Amino acid sequence: MKIILLPTDFSDSAWNAMFTALKLYADMVSHFIVLNAYEPNIANVLGAKDEQRLGVIYDSMAIQSHKELDKILDYLRQNHKNQNHTFEKLSISDNLLIAIKNTMITHHIDCIVMGTTGATGAKEVFMGSNTVRVLKTIRSRPIIVVPKEVNFQSLKRLVLPTNFLKYFESSELNPMLELVRLWRAETYIFQVGTEFKLNDFQESNKLRLEEYFKDIVHGFHKVQFEEGVAKAITDFATESNADMIALIQYDHSFFEKLTREAVVKKMAFHTSLPLMVLTKR
Protein backbone atom coordinates (compact mmCIF):
# COMPACT_ATOMS: atom_id res chain seq x y z
CA MET A 1 0.00 0.00 0.00
CA LYS A 2 1.20 3.48 -0.89
CA ILE A 3 1.09 6.03 1.94
CA ILE A 4 0.79 9.55 0.55
CA LEU A 5 1.00 12.77 2.55
CA LEU A 6 -1.19 15.69 1.48
CA PRO A 7 -0.21 18.87 3.36
CA THR A 8 -3.00 21.44 3.26
CA ASP A 9 -3.65 25.01 4.29
CA PHE A 10 -7.21 24.62 2.93
CA SER A 11 -6.43 26.84 -0.07
CA ASP A 12 -7.58 26.21 -3.64
CA SER A 13 -4.01 25.21 -4.48
CA ALA A 14 -4.00 22.54 -1.76
CA TRP A 15 -7.38 21.20 -2.90
CA ASN A 16 -6.12 20.95 -6.48
CA ALA A 17 -3.02 19.05 -5.35
CA MET A 18 -5.25 16.63 -3.45
CA PHE A 19 -7.50 16.03 -6.48
CA THR A 20 -4.42 15.48 -8.64
CA ALA A 21 -3.06 12.90 -6.19
CA LEU A 22 -6.38 11.04 -6.13
CA LYS A 23 -6.42 10.82 -9.93
CA LEU A 24 -2.72 10.03 -10.24
CA TYR A 25 -2.96 7.07 -7.85
CA ALA A 26 -6.53 6.09 -8.71
CA ASP A 27 -5.57 2.51 -9.63
CA MET A 28 -3.10 1.98 -6.80
CA VAL A 29 -4.01 0.89 -3.27
CA SER A 30 -3.21 4.05 -1.33
CA HIS A 31 -3.72 5.58 2.09
CA PHE A 32 -3.88 9.39 2.04
CA ILE A 33 -2.98 11.42 5.12
CA VAL A 34 -4.35 14.97 4.95
CA LEU A 35 -2.08 17.09 7.15
CA ASN A 36 -2.67 20.58 8.47
CA ALA A 37 0.12 22.20 10.47
CA TYR A 38 -0.66 25.39 12.33
CA GLU A 39 1.13 27.81 14.61
CA PRO A 40 0.04 31.21 15.97
CA ASN A 41 0.82 34.32 14.00
CA ILE A 42 3.92 35.91 15.51
CA ALA A 43 2.04 39.18 16.04
CA ASN A 44 -0.56 37.38 18.14
CA VAL A 45 2.12 35.64 20.19
CA LEU A 46 4.00 38.88 20.87
CA GLY A 47 0.77 40.55 21.84
CA ALA A 48 -0.15 37.84 24.32
CA LYS A 49 -0.07 39.09 27.91
CA ASP A 50 0.11 35.73 29.57
CA GLU A 51 0.10 31.98 29.06
CA GLN A 52 -3.68 31.86 29.30
CA ARG A 53 -4.05 34.18 26.31
CA LEU A 54 -1.56 32.11 24.32
CA GLY A 55 -3.45 28.95 25.22
CA VAL A 56 -6.69 30.46 23.92
CA ILE A 57 -4.99 31.20 20.58
CA TYR A 58 -3.70 27.63 20.27
CA ASP A 59 -7.09 26.16 21.23
CA SER A 60 -8.87 28.29 18.66
CA MET A 61 -6.45 27.29 15.89
CA ALA A 62 -6.71 23.63 16.85
CA ILE A 63 -10.52 23.71 16.71
CA GLN A 64 -10.45 25.40 13.30
CA SER A 65 -7.85 22.95 11.97
CA HIS A 66 -9.89 19.90 12.97
CA LYS A 67 -13.09 21.49 11.66
CA GLU A 68 -11.61 22.12 8.21
CA LEU A 69 -9.99 18.67 8.06
CA ASP A 70 -13.34 17.07 8.92
CA LYS A 71 -14.90 18.98 6.01
CA ILE A 72 -12.30 17.50 3.67
CA LEU A 73 -12.83 13.94 4.88
CA ASP A 74 -16.63 14.35 4.72
CA TYR A 75 -16.34 15.61 1.15
CA LEU A 76 -14.12 12.69 0.15
CA ARG A 77 -16.45 10.12 1.76
CA GLN A 78 -19.41 11.55 -0.17
CA ASN A 79 -17.80 12.35 -3.52
CA HIS A 80 -14.75 10.15 -3.91
CA LYS A 81 -15.78 6.54 -4.27
CA ASN A 82 -12.66 4.48 -4.83
CA GLN A 83 -12.16 1.16 -3.07
CA ASN A 84 -8.38 1.53 -3.51
CA HIS A 85 -8.27 4.60 -1.29
CA THR A 86 -8.48 5.25 2.44
CA PHE A 87 -8.08 8.54 4.28
CA GLU A 88 -6.84 9.93 7.56
CA LYS A 89 -6.64 13.45 8.97
CA LEU A 90 -3.74 14.83 10.95
CA SER A 91 -3.70 18.17 12.77
CA ILE A 92 -0.35 19.24 14.22
CA SER A 93 0.54 22.33 16.22
CA ASP A 94 3.93 23.13 14.71
CA ASN A 95 5.52 24.64 11.64
CA LEU A 96 4.99 22.78 8.38
CA LEU A 97 8.52 21.43 7.94
CA ILE A 98 8.73 19.89 11.38
CA ALA A 99 5.21 18.48 11.02
CA ILE A 100 6.12 16.83 7.70
CA LYS A 101 9.42 15.45 9.03
CA ASN A 102 7.74 13.90 12.07
CA THR A 103 4.86 12.50 10.05
CA MET A 104 7.25 10.90 7.57
CA ILE A 105 8.71 8.89 10.44
CA THR A 106 5.59 8.09 12.43
CA HIS A 107 3.40 7.22 9.44
CA HIS A 108 6.01 5.75 7.07
CA ILE A 109 5.25 8.19 4.25
CA ASP A 110 6.14 7.10 0.71
CA CYS A 111 5.39 10.31 -1.19
CA ILE A 112 4.36 13.93 -0.59
CA VAL A 113 1.97 15.81 -2.90
CA MET A 114 1.61 19.57 -2.42
CA GLY A 115 0.29 22.57 -4.29
CA THR A 116 2.02 25.74 -5.33
CA THR A 117 0.59 29.07 -6.42
CA GLY A 118 3.62 29.96 -8.52
CA ALA A 119 5.40 33.30 -8.74
CA THR A 120 7.30 35.58 -11.06
CA GLY A 121 10.36 37.73 -10.55
CA ALA A 122 10.80 39.28 -7.12
CA LYS A 123 7.54 37.70 -5.91
CA GLU A 124 9.45 34.41 -5.60
CA VAL A 125 10.82 35.73 -2.32
CA PHE A 126 7.34 36.03 -0.85
CA MET A 127 5.07 33.55 -2.60
CA GLY A 128 4.98 29.78 -2.61
CA SER A 129 7.80 29.64 -0.08
CA ASN A 130 6.42 26.69 1.90
CA THR A 131 6.65 24.35 -1.06
CA VAL A 132 10.18 25.44 -1.89
CA ARG A 133 11.26 25.06 1.74
CA VAL A 134 9.94 21.52 1.70
CA LEU A 135 11.79 20.78 -1.55
CA LYS A 136 15.03 22.15 -0.13
CA THR A 137 14.73 20.33 3.19
CA ILE A 138 13.04 16.99 2.52
CA ARG A 139 15.55 14.89 0.58
CA SER A 140 14.44 11.38 1.48
CA ARG A 141 11.01 11.19 -0.16
CA PRO A 142 9.71 12.00 -3.64
CA ILE A 143 7.67 15.20 -3.75
CA ILE A 144 5.07 16.02 -6.37
CA VAL A 145 4.44 19.74 -6.81
CA VAL A 146 1.11 20.64 -8.42
CA PRO A 147 0.54 24.14 -9.85
CA LYS A 148 -2.78 25.71 -8.90
CA GLU A 149 -3.90 26.02 -12.53
CA VAL A 150 -3.32 22.35 -13.47
CA ASN A 151 -6.40 20.30 -14.33
CA PHE A 152 -4.78 16.87 -14.28
CA GLN A 153 -6.69 14.12 -16.10
CA SER A 154 -4.20 11.44 -17.12
CA LEU A 155 -0.52 10.64 -17.37
CA LYS A 156 0.17 9.86 -21.01
CA ARG A 157 3.65 11.32 -21.32
CA LEU A 158 6.39 12.14 -18.80
CA VAL A 159 9.65 13.97 -19.48
CA LEU A 160 12.91 13.37 -17.59
CA PRO A 161 15.88 15.73 -18.11
CA THR A 162 19.35 14.41 -17.36
CA ASN A 163 22.98 14.74 -18.38
CA PHE A 164 23.90 11.17 -17.43
CA LEU A 165 26.52 12.47 -15.01
CA LYS A 166 25.06 10.72 -11.97
CA TYR A 167 24.79 7.01 -11.28
CA PHE A 168 21.09 6.13 -11.31
CA GLU A 169 19.87 4.26 -8.21
CA SER A 170 16.72 2.17 -8.45
CA SER A 171 15.55 3.61 -5.12
CA GLU A 172 15.36 7.14 -6.52
CA LEU A 173 13.75 6.18 -9.82
CA ASN A 174 11.17 3.68 -8.56
CA PRO A 175 8.48 6.23 -7.55
CA MET A 176 8.53 7.58 -11.11
CA LEU A 177 8.77 4.16 -12.77
CA GLU A 178 5.79 2.79 -10.86
CA LEU A 179 3.62 5.70 -12.03
CA VAL A 180 4.79 5.35 -15.62
CA ARG A 181 4.01 1.63 -15.55
CA LEU A 182 0.67 2.22 -13.83
CA TRP A 183 -0.44 4.61 -16.56
CA ARG A 184 1.49 2.92 -19.39
CA ALA A 185 2.88 6.36 -20.07
CA GLU A 186 5.53 7.20 -22.63
CA THR A 187 8.73 8.69 -21.24
CA TYR A 188 10.92 11.24 -23.03
CA ILE A 189 14.43 11.18 -21.54
CA PHE A 190 16.37 14.20 -22.72
CA GLN A 191 19.83 15.63 -22.31
CA VAL A 192 20.02 19.37 -21.68
CA GLY A 193 23.33 20.93 -22.59
CA THR A 194 25.58 22.89 -24.91
CA GLU A 195 27.33 19.80 -26.27
CA PHE A 196 26.13 16.23 -26.39
CA LYS A 197 29.13 13.94 -26.73
CA LEU A 198 29.04 11.45 -23.85
CA ASN A 199 32.11 10.18 -22.04
CA ASP A 200 32.44 6.55 -20.92
CA PHE A 201 30.85 7.21 -17.54
CA GLN A 202 27.88 8.97 -19.13
CA GLU A 203 27.48 6.15 -21.66
CA SER A 204 27.46 3.65 -18.80
CA ASN A 205 24.79 5.64 -16.95
CA LYS A 206 22.70 5.90 -20.10
CA LEU A 207 22.84 2.12 -20.55
CA ARG A 208 21.77 1.68 -16.93
CA LEU A 209 18.83 4.02 -17.52
CA GLU A 210 17.86 2.06 -20.63
CA GLU A 211 17.76 -1.08 -18.48
CA TYR A 212 15.32 0.55 -16.06
CA PHE A 213 13.08 1.55 -18.97
CA LYS A 214 13.32 -1.70 -20.95
CA ASP A 215 9.62 -2.51 -20.41
CA ILE A 216 8.46 1.10 -20.84
CA VAL A 217 7.88 3.05 -24.05
CA HIS A 218 10.62 5.66 -24.08
CA GLY A 219 12.96 7.68 -26.25
CA PHE A 220 16.15 9.73 -25.88
CA HIS A 221 16.36 13.35 -27.02
CA LYS A 222 18.78 16.28 -26.95
CA VAL A 223 17.82 19.81 -25.93
CA GLN A 224 20.07 22.83 -26.42
CA PHE A 225 19.62 25.52 -23.78
CA GLU A 226 20.14 29.22 -24.41
CA GLU A 227 18.06 31.14 -21.87
CA GLY A 228 18.45 28.80 -18.92
CA VAL A 229 18.00 25.16 -18.07
CA ALA A 230 14.59 25.59 -16.41
CA LYS A 231 13.21 27.31 -19.52
CA ALA A 232 14.69 24.63 -21.79
CA ILE A 233 12.99 21.93 -19.70
CA THR A 234 9.59 23.64 -19.62
CA ASP A 235 9.76 24.45 -23.35
CA PHE A 236 10.56 20.83 -24.22
CA ALA A 237 7.79 19.57 -21.94
CA THR A 238 5.29 21.91 -23.61
CA GLU A 239 6.38 20.96 -27.13
CA SER A 240 6.14 17.28 -26.20
CA ASN A 241 2.60 17.66 -24.77
CA ALA A 242 3.88 16.19 -21.52
CA ASP A 243 1.62 15.66 -18.50
CA MET A 244 4.41 15.62 -15.90
CA ILE A 245 8.06 16.58 -15.47
CA ALA A 246 10.39 14.48 -13.32
CA LEU A 247 13.61 15.88 -11.85
CA ILE A 248 16.30 14.11 -9.85
CA GLN A 249 17.49 16.37 -7.05
CA TYR A 250 21.11 16.30 -5.93
CA ASP A 251 22.90 18.56 -3.47
CA HIS A 252 25.03 20.06 -6.23
CA SER A 253 23.53 19.19 -9.57
CA PHE A 254 25.26 19.40 -12.91
CA PHE A 255 22.75 22.05 -13.96
CA GLU A 256 23.57 24.31 -11.03
CA LYS A 257 27.33 23.92 -11.52
CA LEU A 258 26.93 24.73 -15.20
CA THR A 259 24.62 27.72 -14.97
CA ARG A 260 24.49 28.82 -11.31
CA GLU A 261 20.77 28.26 -11.74
CA ALA A 262 18.73 26.69 -8.91
CA VAL A 263 16.76 24.54 -11.34
CA VAL A 264 14.51 22.67 -8.92
CA LYS A 265 13.55 25.88 -7.10
CA LYS A 266 12.88 27.73 -10.34
CA MET A 267 10.86 24.84 -11.74
CA ALA A 268 8.74 24.71 -8.57
CA PHE A 269 7.80 28.34 -9.04
CA HIS A 270 7.32 28.39 -12.80
CA THR A 271 6.21 24.96 -14.00
CA SER A 272 2.77 24.73 -15.56
CA LEU A 273 2.80 20.93 -15.16
CA PRO A 274 2.96 18.64 -12.13
CA LEU A 275 6.60 18.30 -11.12
CA MET A 276 7.90 15.10 -9.50
CA VAL A 277 11.15 15.71 -7.62
CA LEU A 278 13.01 12.46 -7.02
CA THR A 279 15.56 12.07 -4.26
CA LYS A 280 17.79 9.37 -2.79
CA ARG A 281 16.18 7.46 0.10
Side-chain angles (χ1 to χ4, degrees):
M1 179 174 65
K2 197 84 170 175
I3 303 178
I4 301 168
L5 185 63
L6 303 174
T8 182
D9 57 0
F10 312 116
S11 63
D12 290 344
S13 177
W15 274 97
N16 190 50
M18 179 176 67
F19 292 144
T20 299
L22 297 179
K23 291 177 184 177
L24 195 58
Y25 292 96
D27 295 328
M28 185 179 295
V29 176
S30 305
H31 181 66
F32 295 91
I33 298 175
V34 186
L35 166 70
N36 175 243
Y38 62 91
E39 55 184 346
N41 182 285
I42 189 64
N44 291 334
V45 174
L46 293 175
K49 297 296 184 181
D50 50 35
E51 291 184 6
Q52 184 177 3
R53 172 60 179 160
L54 186 58
V56 169
I57 294 172
Y58 270 109
D59 289 345
S60 176
M61 296 183 76
I63 291 170
Q64 186 65 22
S65 175
H66 281 283
K67 182 179 178 180
E68 294 299 323
L69 286 171
D70 285 338
K71 286 182 182 179
I72 291 176
L73 264 60
D74 287 343
Y75 177 89
L76 293 173
R77 292 189 186 105
Q78 294 177 27
N79 299 282
H80 182 74
K81 307 294 184 181
N82 187 333
Q83 62 182 5
N84 289 327
H85 293 170
T86 55
F87 302 95
E88 177 183 349
K89 73 171 184 176
L90 198 57
S91 177
I92 296 179
S93 174
D94 215 325
N95 71 65
L96 181 62
L97 275 177
I98 293 176
I100 289 177
K101 286 180 179 180
N102 290 338
T103 304
M104 283 168 48
I105 297 170
T106 59
H107 290 71
H108 308 290
I109 300 301
D110 295 304
C111 179
I112 302 167
V113 182
M114 357 183 10
T116 181
T117 55
T120 56
K123 291 182 181 179
E124 291 180 0
V125 177
F126 306 104
M127 299 174 62
S129 56
N130 271 338
T131 301
V132 171
R133 286 195 197 101
V134 172
L135 283 171
K136 289 175 65 177
T137 306
I138 306 298
R139 297 297 185 98
S140 59
R141 300 293 188 279
I143 300 171
I144 299 176
V145 176
V146 183
K148 180 181 177 181
E149 300 77 15
V150 165
N151 181 19
F152 179 83
Q153 296 299 320
S154 63
L155 181 59
K156 297 178 181 177
R157 185 171 294 119
L158 176 143
V159 296
L160 172 67
T162 179
N163 279 85
F164 309 108
L165 283 167
K166 295 288 185 179
Y167 182 82
F168 298 105
E169 299 280 359
S170 59
S171 60
E172 61 190 345
L173 295 177
N174 280 340
M176 173 190 65
L177 294 173
E178 68 180 3
L179 274 179
V180 170
R181 291 190 178 103
L182 183 70
W183 285 90
R184 296 187 176 90
E186 183 178 8
T187 303
Y188 283 14
I189 304 163
F190 62 103
Q191 183 183 2
V192 181
T194 54
E195 57 181 50
F196 300 98
K197 184 176 180 180
L198 304 183
N199 59 35
D200 290 343
F201 181 65
Q202 287 174 295
E203 288 286 3
S204 175
N205 288 335
K206 183 178 179 181
L207 288 173
R208 184 172 177 82
L209 203 57
E210 286 181 331
E211 182 65 21
Y212 286 129
F213 281 89
K214 64 182 179 182
D215 61 339
I216 297 168
V217 178
H218 68 281
F220 289 90
H221 305 266
K222 298 174 183 177
V223 175
Q224 189 94 19
F225 79 87
E226 297 177 358
E227 299 179 46
V229 174
K231 187 176 188 307
I233 293 171
T234 53
D235 286 350
F236 181 79
T238 300
E239 293 165 6
S240 305
N241 294 316
D243 302 297
M244 179 178 284
I245 299 169
L247 287 176
I248 302 173
Q249 180 158 253
Y250 298 103
D251 289 336
H252 299 288
S253 74
F254 168 82
F255 296 137
E256 292 185 27
K257 288 180 181 177
L258 181 67
T259 65
R260 297 184 181 275
E261 180 181 354
V263 175
V264 171
K265 178 180 177 180
K266 186 166 285 189
M267 292 294 298
F269 278 121
H270 295 290
T271 181
S272 60
L273 296 171
L275 174 68
M276 174 176 252
V277 181
L278 303 164
T279 58
K280 290 184 180 294
R281 182 170 180 177

